[in-house]
Each structure stands twice: as C-alpha cells, then as structure tokens.
Amino acid sequence: MQKFDARATLAKRRADIAAMFDGVAGRYDVMNDLLSLGQVYRWRAETVRAVDPRRGQKILDLAAGTGTSSRPFADAGALVVPVDLSIGMVTEGKVRQPDLGFVNADGLQLPFADDTFDAVTISYGLRNVEDTLAALTEMHRVTAPGGVVVIAEFSTPTWAPFREVYRRYLVRMLPVVSGILSSNPRAYDYLAESILAWPDQPTLAGLLRETGWRDVEWKNLSGGIVALHRAVA
C-alpha cells in the first residue's frame, strides 16, 4: 500500500506540473525573455555550441516547451525530436514550429528505443522531474555510445555576495514581477522554490557520473546563475 501511495503521489505531482505549464504556454517564451533580462538568448546559444549539432544527427530535446530550444538544431540539419510533459506546451509548439515532430511524453518513461540519439539535451527542465537519478538514467539509455548529454539548468552563483543578492531576487522580486506580468504567477513561485532547492554544480556532476555518464564537465554562465553540464555516454 505504501508503494502504491508513493506512485500515486508522484503521478499527481507530474500532473500538477504539467497543468501548471499548460497555463503559461502562450506567454512562456516572452516571460523567459523578460525575467532573464535577455540573458536567455546567450544561454541558448551556449547550449547549442555544447551540443554541436550537425546534419544527420538525431537529437532529443527534453522539456522543449514550444520548441524555441529545438529550432537551432533543426536549422543545423539535425533531426530533432522536441519532447515535453505539458500538452499545452506541445500544442503551442506545433502552432509555432509546425515542421517539428513534437512528442508529449514523460522524461522518466521515454517512448524511444535504447541507443536512439546522438545527443540528448534538456534546458531548465531537469529540476521539474521528481526523480533526477531516474531521469539521467533514462537519458543515458536512449543515447548511443559516444553520444552526449547537455543540461542547461539554473544553478548556484559562484560569488558569495552575488549569490545572496540572487537569492533575494528569487524570493522577493520574482513573485512580484511575475504577479504583474504573468496570468499564472503560481508557476513562477514554483520556479523560485525549485531553483533554490536544486543541487549545485559539483553535486549535479556527481549524479551524472552515478548514472553512467563519463567525461563530465560544466561551464558557469552569468556567474553561475545557469550552469551548462556536458557528459558522454
């Protein structure tokens, strides 16, 4: 009974997160631009460089949202598969990027065979998965030997004074700003909470190694507000 209850709780959490992102799908990209003060463009470019997409590659883009992160891979000639748990995001993505083959799926149960992709990437979505180790293991399963994973995620600023300022922004200012600009400010309250609870750069690197990834490295962006982790299958 306890195991059943745990599964039911996890299923409900997944459904709640999906519904939350369904509610912000229409303005999600605009809000990202505003709340990051435009830094999201630089972060996205760094992610693309880390993946290094090439013509003919198969790339899995998890937590792809409306497909903004997937577009550069397709433009490079790669076969990119955008995946998101939120049906609202997938629906919006199909409107904005009709040439991309969006898939509505759970990152813990990917509907792909072993060793399918040359690269797997996820941007600002790994912390929304309730079992990080299981998600990293599933990514490893679908990545071909020698393929790469690239994870762009909010992280821990490296300079202590700035780290404190950043934490205050997340706790105090982000809810205020999102309350003014967003139709679903609760989603951005969750954003702040999940960022503060997320492991720092070395800890995430350790989780990657624990799940079979090798040659793990990371790069701090914007003083560590975002960290880009890369590893090889």
Side-chain angles (χ1 to χ4, degrees):
M1 178 64 72
Q2 188 175 16
K3 188 173 183 179
F4 175 79
D5 289 344
R7 288 179 178 175
T9 299
L10 292 178
K12 183 180 184 303
R13 184 173 185 272
R14 279 197 297 271
D16 288 346
I17 290 174
M20 180 178 65
F21 282 100
D22 288 348
V24 298
R27 299 195 67 195
Y28 183 71
D29 293 321
V30 172
M31 288 296 294
N32 283 347
D33 295 349
L34 292 172
L35 294 176
S36 71
L37 303 178
Q39 287 295 299
V40 68
Y41 295 103
R42 179 187 164 223
W43 300 339
R44 191 176 300 134
E46 291 279 2
T47 303
V48 173
R49 274 193 286 272
V51 173
D52 189 22
R54 295 183 296 278
R55 185 167 300 277
Q57 275 188 319
K58 294 180 179 179
I59 299 176
L60 177 62
D61 186 18
L62 296 173
T66 62
T68 303
S69 58
S70 304
R71 183 78 260 163
F73 303 132
D75 291 345
L79 174 60
V80 59
V81 180
V83 170
D84 204 282
L85 180 63
S86 162
I87 190 64
M89 287 290 187
V90 169
T91 301
E92 185 72 21
K94 288 179 178 179
V95 173
R96 298 187 186 189
Q97 318 274 356
D99 59 316
L100 300 184
F102 284 84
V103 175
N104 177 222
D106 186 343
L108 295 178
Q109 296 176 317
L110 294 172
F112 308 109
D114 296 358
D115 305 339
T116 297
F117 296 96
D118 301 299
V120 176
T121 184
I122 182 168
S123 296
Y124 320 109
L126 185 56
R127 74 183 187 286
N128 297 326
V129 182
E130 62 271 15
D131 190 334
T132 304
L133 284 173
L136 294 174
T137 299
E138 185 70 345
M139 291 180 208
H140 192 279
R141 180 185 68 79
V142 301
T143 305
V148 300
V149 64
V150 175
I151 301 167
E153 189 54 88
F154 293 108
S155 196
T156 304
T158 54
W159 189 43
F162 175 61
R163 184 162 59 242
E164 183 59 30
V165 170
Y166 179 61
R167 287 178 180 274
R168 289 179 182 176
Y169 165 74
L170 289 176
V171 172
R172 299 177 184 176
M173 293 304 299
L174 183 60
V176 173
V177 174
S178 62
I180 296 171
L181 299 176
S182 174
S183 60
N184 186 2
R186 186 178 72 85
Y188 293 92
D189 291 341
Y190 166 80
L191 173 67
E193 293 166 3
S194 64
I195 292 172
L196 290 173
W198 185 244
D200 63 12
Q201 294 87 325
T203 303
L204 180 55
L207 295 178
L208 280 160
R209 296 186 187 97
E210 186 176 342
T211 50
W213 296 94
R214 57 187 174 85
D215 299 336
V216 180
E217 57 187 356
W218 72 83
K219 179 179 181 179
N220 289 312
L221 306 178
S222 301
I225 288 178
V226 166
L228 204 59
H229 282 72
R230 187 180 189 277
V232 179

